[in-house]
Structure formats: C-alpha cells, structure tokens
Amino acid sequence: MGFIELYDISKIYHLGEVDLPVLKGISLQVARGELLALMGASGSGKSTLMNILGCLDRPTSGEYLFDGRAISGYTAKERARLRNRMIGFVFQSFNLLARMTAFENVLMPLMYCRDRLSEREMELRTTELLEKVGLADRHHHRPSQLSGGEQQRVAIARSLINRPQVLFADEPTGNLDSRTSEEILALFQQLNQTDGITLIMVTHDPGVAEHAQRTIRIKDGLIESDTAFLSAGAPL
Ligand code: ADP
Ligand code: MG
C-alpha cells in the first residue's frame, strides 16, 4: 500500500456559468520518504493539485487515499484534524504572522493541538526546531527583522512543529535569490534524508527540481511525465 494514492482525480472550478476543468484525471502514488518535485507551466494546476494532496481542498471526483484513509469522504473538520496531525505546509510568501516573533510563529500551531503539551515541552520543541533550521540566535526577531531566507526557515520550523509525516512546499524558493534558494533546498534534503520526512515540492524551476529524487510534470490537467532519479541530478 502506498502512502499517498490518487486515483483519477479531477478538479473543476465553477465560476458563475463557466466550468473551468483544471485537473482531468490524475493518478499518482507516492511512497514514504520520497522527495518529489511537481512541475508544470504557470496555471497548469500545480497549486490546485497540491491543495488537494494537502487536504486543504477536495477533488471534484476521484479517490484519494492518505496512509490508507479514504480522504475524499472527509468533512472539513476531519480534514483539518488530519492536516494538523500529519501534514506541514511551506509557501512561497512564508505566511508568517508579522506581529509575532520567530519563536512565537514556530510555537503557534501547538496552541491548536487537541492534546496540549506542557508549556515547557512546547518551548523545548520550538527551541530545538529553531536550532535545526539554523536560527538559534533569532528567537526574538519579528519577520520584518529577518531576511527572506530566514523567514522561510522560520516557516519551515513552524511546519515541523507538530511532527508531520509529509511536508508540502508550494514554490518555496520563489521569492528567494539563488544562493538562499540553495540553502533552503539543502535544508529540505536534510529533513528528507536525516529525518525521513516525505517532501512534495511545487516548482516551475528545473534547477530546483534537480534537488528531488523524482519529478512529475503536469500539463493540460494530466500527468505528462514521471521521472525517478537515483540521487539528485543523476538519472536512474
Ligand atoms: P499553478 O499553481 O500551476 O500556477 P493553479 O493550480 O494555481 O496553477 O491554477 C490552475 C488554474 O485554475 C488557473 O487557470 C487558475 O486561474 C485556476 N484557479 C485556481 N484556483 C482557482 C479558484 N479557487 N477558483 C477558480 N479558478 C481557479
Ligand atoms: Mg501555483
């Protein structure tokens, strides 16, 4: 059994009288521990597919199994619970809370947990993650006092606070210069290889996709190609 399994997923957006089909029958399996890049031209449906994979949105039709659970039938509340426990997100625009410090941004999702940790445990976990992403000395900085790369590191630490099994990153380096992008990609590779986190990353940049073990391209609502690499950059 796969970790993530999609069967004939379609997504049609309804805009007034107009139906806009974006995904037209996507079938896909992802195993635990993969580092996968999802590519395609702008407007090809990458974010739409990502939002379905991340249980933020539902497909119009098709079946989605997440770790053996049939997600397609889940209510919004059930999906929210699953996301909270199993899934982390990283976005192009970081999505940090401007009034909060790096420390508070990372800790925040723990406040929404059903099984609340003690204050001491929450602080310990936050401190460990800020150290893991290389920001041990930035606890009290607010987003406006951090560089783009540092803000994305805070967002990555935040995405890991509930110890998710899979991380979805939508154009995570889209707002970063090339050197900072390399650093963020190296961090993703480390999380994947050392911590075994499954990572699915959307990008339109072939240089970014080279850091993945597998690249899926979507075009006209369908999978155009699905290529595995033994190690980053080297074809199987
Ligand atoms: P990508 O991430 O590959 O650039 P998207 O998945 O964001 O593409 O969008 C794919 C298509 O779906 C685009 O034509 C976009 O305009 C349309 N679209 C995306 N989200 C919505 C929405 N919520 N409602 C209507 N149309 C949407
Ligand atoms: Mg997008």
mmCIF file of all heavy atoms in Angstrom, residues 125-164:
data_model
loop_
_atom_site.group_PDB
_atom_site.id
_atom_site.type_symbol
_atom_site.label_atom_id
_atom_site.label_comp_id
_atom_site.label_asym_id
_atom_site.label_seq_id
_atom_site.Cartn_x
_atom_site.Cartn_y
_atom_site.Cartn_z
ATOM 1 N N ARG A 125 10.476 22.117 22.263
ATOM 2 C CA ARG A 125 10.328 21.691 20.869
ATOM 3 C C ARG A 125 10.605 22.856 19.910
ATOM 4 O O ARG A 125 11.246 22.694 18.880
ATOM 5 C CB ARG A 125 8.903 21.164 20.666
ATOM 6 C CG ARG A 125 8.841 20.086 19.613
ATOM 7 C CD ARG A 125 7.425 19.720 19.299
ATOM 8 N NE ARG A 125 6.973 18.552 20.033
ATOM 9 C CZ ARG A 125 5.913 17.832 19.654
ATOM 10 N NH1 ARG A 125 5.234 18.182 18.575
ATOM 11 N NH2 ARG A 125 5.551 16.786 20.336
ATOM 12 N N THR A 126 10.110 24.038 20.273
ATOM 13 C CA THR A 126 10.318 25.234 19.446
ATOM 14 C C THR A 126 11.803 25.580 19.376
ATOM 15 O O THR A 126 12.341 25.864 18.292
ATOM 16 C CB THR A 126 9.510 26.417 20.025
ATOM 17 O OG1 THR A 126 8.144 26.035 20.104
ATOM 18 C CG2 THR A 126 9.640 27.645 19.152
ATOM 19 N N THR A 127 12.461 25.540 20.510
ATOM 20 C CA THR A 127 13.893 25.853 20.563
ATOM 21 C C THR A 127 14.682 24.874 19.700
ATOM 22 O O THR A 127 15.567 25.274 18.935
ATOM 23 C CB THR A 127 14.390 25.784 22.029
ATOM 24 O OG1 THR A 127 13.606 26.692 22.800
ATOM 25 C CG2 THR A 127 15.853 26.155 22.134
ATOM 26 N N GLU A 128 14.347 23.592 19.800
ATOM 27 C CA GLU A 128 15.046 22.564 19.010
ATOM 28 C C GLU A 128 14.888 22.813 17.514
ATOM 29 O O GLU A 128 15.838 22.685 16.742
ATOM 30 C CB GLU A 128 14.476 21.176 19.332
ATOM 31 C CG GLU A 128 15.078 20.537 20.568
ATOM 32 C CD GLU A 128 14.331 19.258 20.964
ATOM 33 O OE1 GLU A 128 13.497 18.774 20.161
ATOM 34 O OE2 GLU A 128 14.578 18.784 22.078
ATOM 35 N N LEU A 129 13.657 23.179 17.114
ATOM 36 C CA LEU A 129 13.414 23.377 15.681
ATOM 37 C C LEU A 129 14.103 24.627 15.159
ATOM 38 O O LEU A 129 14.648 24.619 14.055
ATOM 39 C CB LEU A 129 11.911 23.430 15.402
ATOM 40 C CG LEU A 129 11.264 22.055 15.308
ATOM 41 C CD1 LEU A 129 9.759 22.175 15.201
ATOM 42 C CD2 LEU A 129 11.815 21.287 14.103
ATOM 43 N N LEU A 130 14.108 25.696 15.949
ATOM 44 C CA LEU A 130 14.804 26.905 15.500
ATOM 45 C C LEU A 130 16.296 26.614 15.351
ATOM 46 O O LEU A 130 16.953 27.118 14.438
ATOM 47 C CB LEU A 130 14.549 28.064 16.466
ATOM 48 C CG LEU A 130 13.203 28.767 16.247
ATOM 49 C CD1 LEU A 130 12.843 29.663 17.420
ATOM 50 C CD2 LEU A 130 13.222 29.581 14.953
ATOM 51 N N GLU A 131 16.809 25.758 16.212
ATOM 52 C CA GLU A 131 18.213 25.375 16.095
ATOM 53 C C GLU A 131 18.433 24.525 14.836
ATOM 54 O O GLU A 131 19.379 24.729 14.091
ATOM 55 C CB GLU A 131 18.628 24.596 17.345
ATOM 56 C CG GLU A 131 20.125 24.400 17.420
ATOM 57 C CD GLU A 131 20.563 23.875 18.778
ATOM 58 O OE1 GLU A 131 19.833 24.099 19.766
ATOM 59 O OE2 GLU A 131 21.612 23.228 18.821
ATOM 60 N N LYS A 132 17.512 23.604 14.594
ATOM 61 C CA LYS A 132 17.618 22.727 13.421
ATOM 62 C C LYS A 132 17.675 23.511 12.111
ATOM 63 O O LYS A 132 18.414 23.157 11.201
ATOM 64 C CB LYS A 132 16.420 21.762 13.394
ATOM 65 C CG LYS A 132 16.500 20.677 12.331
ATOM 66 C CD LYS A 132 15.177 19.964 12.179
ATOM 67 C CE LYS A 132 15.060 18.659 12.899
ATOM 68 N NZ LYS A 132 16.004 17.633 12.570
ATOM 69 N N VAL A 133 16.897 24.607 12.038
ATOM 70 C CA VAL A 133 16.879 25.390 10.802
ATOM 71 C C VAL A 133 17.934 26.506 10.816
ATOM 72 O O VAL A 133 17.958 27.348 9.920
ATOM 73 C CB VAL A 133 15.481 25.985 10.496
ATOM 74 C CG1 VAL A 133 14.437 24.881 10.354
ATOM 75 C CG2 VAL A 133 15.053 26.990 11.566
ATOM 76 N N GLY A 134 18.777 26.507 11.832
ATOM 77 C CA GLY A 134 19.897 27.449 11.858
ATOM 78 C C GLY A 134 19.546 28.833 12.362
ATOM 79 O O GLY A 134 20.196 29.812 11.995
ATOM 80 N N LEU A 135 18.518 28.935 13.199
ATOM 81 C CA LEU A 135 18.099 30.250 13.695
ATOM 82 C C LEU A 135 18.100 30.327 15.217
ATOM 83 O O LEU A 135 17.279 31.032 15.815
ATOM 84 C CB LEU A 135 16.694 30.583 13.175
ATOM 85 C CG LEU A 135 16.569 30.835 11.673
ATOM 86 C CD1 LEU A 135 15.120 31.110 11.312
ATOM 87 C CD2 LEU A 135 17.453 31.994 11.226
ATOM 88 N N ALA A 136 19.037 29.623 15.834
ATOM 89 C CA ALA A 136 19.090 29.595 17.299
ATOM 90 C C ALA A 136 19.229 30.993 17.891
ATOM 91 O O ALA A 136 18.794 31.249 19.010
ATOM 92 C CB ALA A 136 20.248 28.706 17.761
ATOM 93 N N ASP A 137 19.818 31.907 17.123
ATOM 94 C CA ASP A 137 20.058 33.253 17.653
ATOM 95 C C ASP A 137 19.047 34.281 17.123
ATOM 96 O O ASP A 137 19.311 35.483 17.113
ATOM 97 C CB ASP A 137 21.484 33.691 17.319
ATOM 98 C CG ASP A 137 21.797 33.551 15.836
ATOM 99 O OD1 ASP A 137 20.928 33.019 15.084
ATOM 100 O OD2 ASP A 137 22.879 33.972 15.401
ATOM 101 N N ARG A 138 17.899 33.815 16.658
ATOM 102 C CA ARG A 138 16.909 34.741 16.099
ATOM 103 C C ARG A 138 15.533 34.610 16.775
ATOM 104 O O ARG A 138 14.528 35.030 16.211
ATOM 105 C CB ARG A 138 16.735 34.479 14.589
ATOM 106 C CG ARG A 138 17.944 34.841 13.726
ATOM 107 C CD ARG A 138 18.124 36.348 13.644
ATOM 108 N NE ARG A 138 19.128 36.738 12.681
ATOM 109 C CZ ARG A 138 20.428 36.774 12.932
ATOM 110 N NH1 ARG A 138 20.875 36.409 14.127
ATOM 111 N NH2 ARG A 138 21.283 37.150 11.997
ATOM 112 N N HIS A 139 15.496 34.055 17.958
ATOM 113 C CA HIS A 139 14.215 33.801 18.647
ATOM 114 C C HIS A 139 13.320 35.036 18.727
ATOM 115 O O HIS A 139 12.115 34.945 18.553
ATOM 116 C CB HIS A 139 14.473 33.327 20.087
ATOM 117 C CG HIS A 139 14.881 31.903 20.171
ATOM 118 N ND1 HIS A 139 14.736 31.144 21.310
ATOM 119 C CD2 HIS A 139 15.435 31.081 19.267
ATOM 120 C CE1 HIS A 139 15.182 29.916 21.100
ATOM 121 N NE2 HIS A 139 15.625 29.860 19.874
ATOM 122 N N HIS A 140 13.926 36.191 18.998
ATOM 123 C CA HIS A 140 13.112 37.361 19.323
ATOM 124 C C HIS A 140 12.909 38.300 18.143
ATOM 125 O O HIS A 140 12.327 39.367 18.286
ATOM 126 C CB HIS A 140 13.744 38.112 20.504
ATOM 127 C CG HIS A 140 13.924 37.228 21.696
ATOM 128 N ND1 HIS A 140 12.852 36.646 22.349
ATOM 129 C CD2 HIS A 140 15.038 36.756 22.316
ATOM 130 C CE1 HIS A 140 13.295 35.883 23.335
ATOM 131 N NE2 HIS A 140 14.620 35.926 23.333
ATOM 132 N N HIS A 141 13.410 37.896 16.964
ATOM 133 C CA HIS A 141 13.216 38.736 15.783
ATOM 134 C C HIS A 141 11.793 38.574 15.238
ATOM 135 O O HIS A 141 11.251 37.479 15.216
ATOM 136 C CB HIS A 141 14.201 38.330 14.679
ATOM 137 C CG HIS A 141 15.605 38.797 14.939
ATOM 138 N ND1 HIS A 141 16.329 38.423 16.041
ATOM 139 C CD2 HIS A 141 16.404 39.617 14.218
ATOM 140 C CE1 HIS A 141 17.524 38.987 15.984
ATOM 141 N NE2 HIS A 141 17.603 39.718 14.894
ATOM 142 N N ARG A 142 11.249 39.685 14.757
ATOM 143 C CA ARG A 142 9.971 39.609 14.041
ATOM 144 C C ARG A 142 10.271 39.426 12.552
ATOM 145 O O ARG A 142 11.383 39.718 12.111
ATOM 146 C CB ARG A 142 9.173 40.891 14.258
ATOM 147 C CG ARG A 142 8.655 41.002 15.667
ATOM 148 C CD ARG A 142 7.949 42.320 15.933
ATOM 149 N NE ARG A 142 7.980 42.597 17.371
ATOM 150 C CZ ARG A 142 7.179 42.021 18.266
ATOM 151 N NH1 ARG A 142 6.272 41.153 17.862
ATOM 152 N NH2 ARG A 142 7.286 42.299 19.547
ATOM 153 N N PRO A 143 9.277 38.960 11.770
ATOM 154 C CA PRO A 143 9.523 38.705 10.353
ATOM 155 C C PRO A 143 10.193 39.875 9.623
ATOM 156 O O PRO A 143 11.116 39.665 8.827
ATOM 157 C CB PRO A 143 8.126 38.412 9.803
ATOM 158 C CG PRO A 143 7.425 37.782 10.970
ATOM 159 C CD PRO A 143 7.946 38.508 12.188
ATOM 160 N N SER A 144 9.766 41.111 9.918
ATOM 161 C CA SER A 144 10.334 42.274 9.213
ATOM 162 C C SER A 144 11.815 42.484 9.554
ATOM 163 O O SER A 144 12.507 43.218 8.859
ATOM 164 C CB SER A 144 9.547 43.537 9.557
ATOM 165 O OG SER A 144 9.669 43.810 10.945
ATOM 166 N N GLN A 145 12.274 41.841 10.620
ATOM 167 C CA GLN A 145 13.680 41.986 11.022
ATOM 168 C C GLN A 145 14.526 40.824 10.526
ATOM 169 O O GLN A 145 15.686 40.682 10.910
ATOM 170 C CB GLN A 145 13.761 42.083 12.557
ATOM 171 C CG GLN A 145 12.996 43.291 13.102
ATOM 172 C CD GLN A 145 12.786 43.227 14.606
ATOM 173 O OE1 GLN A 145 12.656 42.145 15.180
ATOM 174 N NE2 GLN A 145 12.751 44.376 15.249
ATOM 175 N N LEU A 146 13.937 39.982 9.669
ATOM 176 C CA LEU A 146 14.651 38.811 9.145
ATOM 177 C C LEU A 146 14.765 38.899 7.631
ATOM 178 O O LEU A 146 13.907 39.490 6.969
ATOM 179 C CB LEU A 146 13.900 37.527 9.514
ATOM 180 C CG LEU A 146 13.788 37.198 11.011
ATOM 181 C CD1 LEU A 146 12.770 36.085 11.223
ATOM 182 C CD2 LEU A 146 15.143 36.787 11.570
ATOM 183 N N SER A 147 15.802 38.273 7.069
ATOM 184 C CA SER A 147 15.927 38.197 5.605
ATOM 185 C C SER A 147 14.894 37.211 5.068
ATOM 186 O O SER A 147 14.286 36.446 5.831
ATOM 187 C CB SER A 147 17.331 37.723 5.240
ATOM 188 O OG SER A 147 17.480 36.352 5.578
ATOM 189 N N GLY A 148 14.709 37.211 3.752
ATOM 190 C CA GLY A 148 13.761 36.282 3.134
ATOM 191 C C GLY A 148 14.082 34.833 3.472
ATOM 192 O O GLY A 148 13.205 34.054 3.833
ATOM 193 N N GLY A 149 15.356 34.479 3.364
ATOM 194 C CA GLY A 149 15.767 33.101 3.657
ATOM 195 C C GLY A 149 15.510 32.738 5.111
ATOM 196 O O GLY A 149 15.069 31.628 5.409
ATOM 197 N N GLU A 150 15.748 33.705 5.995
ATOM 198 C CA GLU A 150 15.496 33.450 7.427
ATOM 199 C C GLU A 150 14.002 33.296 7.695
ATOM 200 O O GLU A 150 13.588 32.437 8.484
ATOM 201 C CB GLU A 150 16.079 34.589 8.271
ATOM 202 C CG GLU A 150 17.610 34.542 8.349
ATOM 203 C CD GLU A 150 18.220 35.804 8.950
ATOM 204 O OE1 GLU A 150 17.533 36.858 8.981
ATOM 205 O OE2 GLU A 150 19.388 35.755 9.370
ATOM 206 N N GLN A 151 13.204 34.121 7.014
ATOM 207 C CA GLN A 151 11.741 33.999 7.188
ATOM 208 C C GLN A 151 11.265 32.623 6.718
ATOM 209 O O GLN A 151 10.432 31.993 7.360
ATOM 210 C CB GLN A 151 11.021 35.088 6.407
ATOM 211 C CG GLN A 151 11.211 36.476 6.999
ATOM 212 C CD GLN A 151 10.459 37.544 6.211
ATOM 213 O OE1 GLN A 151 9.246 37.487 6.082
ATOM 214 N NE2 GLN A 151 11.190 38.485 5.665
ATOM 215 N N GLN A 152 11.836 32.158 5.599
ATOM 216 C CA GLN A 152 11.414 30.839 5.123
ATOM 217 C C GLN A 152 11.870 29.743 6.090
ATOM 218 O O GLN A 152 11.171 28.754 6.276
ATOM 219 C CB GLN A 152 11.920 30.588 3.687
ATOM 220 C CG GLN A 152 11.285 29.395 2.976
ATOM 221 C CD GLN A 152 9.771 29.516 2.843
ATOM 222 O OE1 GLN A 152 9.061 29.673 3.831
ATOM 223 N NE2 GLN A 152 9.276 29.430 1.613
ATOM 224 N N ARG A 153 13.006 29.936 6.730
ATOM 225 C CA ARG A 153 13.460 28.966 7.740
ATOM 226 C C ARG A 153 12.501 28.911 8.930
ATOM 227 O O ARG A 153 12.211 27.845 9.455
ATOM 228 C CB ARG A 153 14.864 29.319 8.242
ATOM 229 C CG ARG A 153 15.946 28.984 7.251
ATOM 230 C CD ARG A 153 17.287 29.542 7.686
ATOM 231 N NE ARG A 153 18.247 29.389 6.624
ATOM 232 C CZ ARG A 153 18.952 28.267 6.431
ATOM 233 N NH1 ARG A 153 18.845 27.248 7.249
ATOM 234 N NH2 ARG A 153 19.783 28.178 5.403
ATOM 235 N N VAL A 154 12.019 30.097 9.333
ATOM 236 C CA VAL A 154 11.022 30.133 10.415
ATOM 237 C C VAL A 154 9.771 29.363 9.971
ATOM 238 O O VAL A 154 9.223 28.546 10.722
ATOM 239 C CB VAL A 154 10.646 31.594 10.790
ATOM 240 C CG1 VAL A 154 9.496 31.610 11.791
ATOM 241 C CG2 VAL A 154 11.853 32.332 11.347
ATOM 242 N N ALA A 155 9.346 29.604 8.730
ATOM 243 C CA ALA A 155 8.150 28.928 8.218
ATOM 244 C C ALA A 155 8.363 27.410 8.172
ATOM 245 O O ALA A 155 7.443 26.637 8.456
ATOM 246 C CB ALA A 155 7.794 29.462 6.832
ATOM 247 N N ILE A 156 9.568 26.990 7.835
ATOM 248 C CA ILE A 156 9.859 25.553 7.786
ATOM 249 C C ILE A 156 9.829 24.972 9.202
ATOM 250 O O ILE A 156 9.240 23.915 9.441
ATOM 251 C CB ILE A 156 11.212 25.290 7.087
ATOM 252 C CG1 ILE A 156 11.099 25.639 5.601
ATOM 253 C CG2 ILE A 156 11.642 23.828 7.267
ATOM 254 C CD1 ILE A 156 12.432 25.674 4.855
ATOM 255 N N ALA A 157 10.434 25.684 10.149
ATOM 256 C CA ALA A 157 10.397 25.216 11.547
ATOM 257 C C ALA A 157 8.946 25.104 12.015
ATOM 258 O O ALA A 157 8.558 24.120 12.644
ATOM 259 C CB ALA A 157 11.184 26.173 12.442
ATOM 260 N N ARG A 158 8.144 26.112 11.678
ATOM 261 C CA ARG A 158 6.725 26.089 12.070
ATOM 262 C C ARG A 158 6.011 24.881 11.454
ATOM 263 O O ARG A 158 5.187 24.234 12.093
ATOM 264 C CB ARG A 158 6.033 27.384 11.634
ATOM 265 C CG ARG A 158 4.548 27.428 11.988
ATOM 266 C CD ARG A 158 3.871 28.665 11.454
ATOM 267 N NE ARG A 158 4.019 28.769 10.002
ATOM 268 C CZ ARG A 158 3.630 29.798 9.277
ATOM 269 N NH1 ARG A 158 3.081 30.845 9.867
ATOM 270 N NH2 ARG A 158 3.812 29.822 7.975
ATOM 271 N N SER A 159 6.340 24.593 10.184
ATOM 272 C CA SER A 159 5.656 23.480 9.503
ATOM 273 C C SER A 159 5.989 22.131 10.143
ATOM 274 O O SER A 159 5.279 21.159 9.948
ATOM 275 C CB SER A 159 6.039 23.455 8.022
ATOM 276 O OG SER A 159 7.342 22.897 7.850
ATOM 277 N N LEU A 160 7.080 22.091 10.919
ATOM 278 C CA LEU A 160 7.528 20.827 11.502
ATOM 279 C C LEU A 160 7.090 20.645 12.957
ATOM 280 O O LEU A 160 7.317 19.586 13.542
ATOM 281 C CB LEU A 160 9.061 20.746 11.446
ATOM 282 C CG LEU A 160 9.677 20.706 10.049
ATOM 283 C CD1 LEU A 160 11.190 20.873 10.140
ATOM 284 C CD2 LEU A 160 9.323 19.400 9.349
ATOM 285 N N ILE A 161 6.448 21.669 13.527
ATOM 286 C CA ILE A 161 6.244 21.678 14.980
ATOM 287 C C ILE A 161 5.332 20.536 15.453
ATOM 288 O O ILE A 161 5.490 20.028 16.556
ATOM 289 C CB ILE A 161 5.710 23.062 15.453
ATOM 290 C CG1 ILE A 161 5.839 23.212 16.967
ATOM 291 C CG2 ILE A 161 4.282 23.308 15.040
ATOM 292 C CD1 ILE A 161 7.195 23.556 17.469
ATOM 293 N N ASN A 162 4.387 20.122 14.610
ATOM 294 C CA ASN A 162 3.509 19.017 15.016
ATOM 295 C C ASN A 162 4.041 17.659 14.561
ATOM 296 O O ASN A 162 3.309 16.681 14.534
ATOM 297 C CB ASN A 162 2.090 19.231 14.483
ATOM 298 C CG ASN A 162 1.292 20.161 15.384
ATOM 299 O OD1 ASN A 162 1.358 20.053 16.611
ATOM 300 N ND2 ASN A 162 0.547 21.077 14.786
ATOM 301 N N ARG A 163 5.316 17.623 14.165
ATOM 302 C CA ARG A 163 5.973 16.397 13.712
ATOM 303 C C ARG A 163 5.181 15.695 12.606
ATOM 304 O O ARG A 163 4.742 14.556 12.753
ATOM 305 C CB ARG A 163 6.193 15.451 14.903
ATOM 306 C CG ARG A 163 7.026 16.156 15.956
ATOM 307 C CD ARG A 163 7.567 15.217 16.994
ATOM 308 N NE ARG A 163 8.538 15.939 17.816
ATOM 309 C CZ ARG A 163 8.778 15.680 19.087
ATOM 310 N NH1 ARG A 163 8.140 14.701 19.691
ATOM 311 N NH2 ARG A 163 9.687 16.360 19.735
ATOM 312 N N PRO A 164 4.992 16.417 11.486
ATOM 313 C CA PRO A 164 4.210 15.848 10.382
ATOM 314 C C PRO A 164 4.973 14.725 9.688
ATOM 315 O O PRO A 164 6.196 14.623 9.818
ATOM 316 C CB PRO A 164 4.061 17.037 9.431
ATOM 317 C CG PRO A 164 5.287 17.843 9.652
ATOM 318 C CD PRO A 164 5.569 17.730 11.121
#
